[in-house]
Amino acid sequence: MRTSTTFNINAEEAQLPLILNGKYFKIVKAISDTKHQKAANGVVAACQVCPNNKSLRGSLKVTSNFLNHLKERHRPQYDEFLLEKDQQAKRARKEKSVEETPVRVELSHYINDLDESVESLNRYPTIKSAFFLYNTPLPSSAPVERLFSYAGMIGTGYLTVEQTRL
């Protein structure tokens, strides 16, 4: 009789893919027979939908074996899985978009500040650095160079005396 040990993963070490969370597949053991299995955190997982809990090999980074099994053998559960995965992705995007970062807080305070003087930038260092980076005019000598270029053309015969009298 074959025995197996339950494979435990710390939540800090790795984020378990949804398909391996125990509802569809339950991780039975870790495998590291090959370099790929070591690098991708190879696992053996038991299908929770199959009557005999069929074991499949895969990894935490590449779950195609598990997905294909679910798709080919348990289509209703596969469709359910896709809906769950979509909902999880939507929740993750929503949480990420609401996340308050120091830059967002500083920007919000700056926008709501009624002081319109340039000195108000001293209270907002990130905004101030962006202001100086993008609002500082670059010194340009192009107009002056153009003026001297035209003056040089007069003395060298590019422009006639009649053209300079305009």
Side-chain angles (χ1 to χ4, degrees):
M1 183 157 121
R2 186 174 161 194
T3 62
S4 62
T5 58
T6 302
F7 180 59
N8 293 321
I9 294 181
N10 266 338
E12 294 131 14
E13 280 182 42
Q15 182 77 16
L16 278 179
L18 181 63
I19 198 159
L20 295 173
N21 71 358
K23 182 175 181 179
Y24 305 102
F25 288 91
K26 185 176 181 180
I27 297 175
V28 177
K29 67 179 181 177
I31 51 175
S32 57
D33 301 334
T34 66
K35 287 181 183 179
H36 171 71
Q37 289 171 342
K38 287 178 187 176
N41 298 326
V43 294
V44 173
C47 177
Q48 300 299 295
V49 185
C50 285
N52 61 352
N53 288 347
K54 179 178 173 135
S55 292
L56 292 155
R57 288 177 173 246
S59 72
L60 299 182
K61 293 183 180 178
V62 182
T63 59
S64 56
N65 287 351
F66 308 118
L67 287 170
N68 287 336
H69 174 81
L70 207 59
K71 184 178 180 179
E72 292 171 8
R73 309 257 171 132
H74 314 289
R75 191 61 188 214
Q77 287 80 6
Y78 176 74
D79 293 338
E80 180 184 333
F81 165 76
L82 291 178
L83 287 174
E84 283 183 43
K85 187 175 180 182
D86 186 46
Q87 290 171 352
Q88 185 183 48
K90 284 180 183 177
R91 281 192 305 271
R93 282 193 302 271
K94 187 176 179 181
E95 289 171 6
K96 189 175 183 179
S97 69
V98 176
E99 183 179 318
E100 286 292 321
T101 62
V103 174
R104 282 182 182 261
V105 171
E106 184 176 328
L107 180 62
S108 175
H109 289 186
Y110 174 74
I111 290 172
N112 294 323
D113 193 350
L114 299 176
D115 187 3
E116 294 180 358
S117 67
V118 176
E119 288 79 28
S120 69
L121 289 173
N122 293 328
R123 292 190 296 270
Y124 309 103
T126 307
I127 304 295
K128 182 178 179 179
S129 65
F131 176 83
F132 283 123
L133 180 65
Y134 294 108
N135 287 333
T136 303
L138 297 174
S140 175
S141 59
V144 175
E145 288 177 14
R146 196 174 306 115
L147 177 64
F148 284 112
S149 174
Y150 288 139
M153 294 169 110
I154 293 170
T156 60
Y158 284 107
L159 297 175
T160 64
V161 175
E162 289 81 21
Q163 290 173 325
T164 59
R165 288 188 187 162
L166 296 174

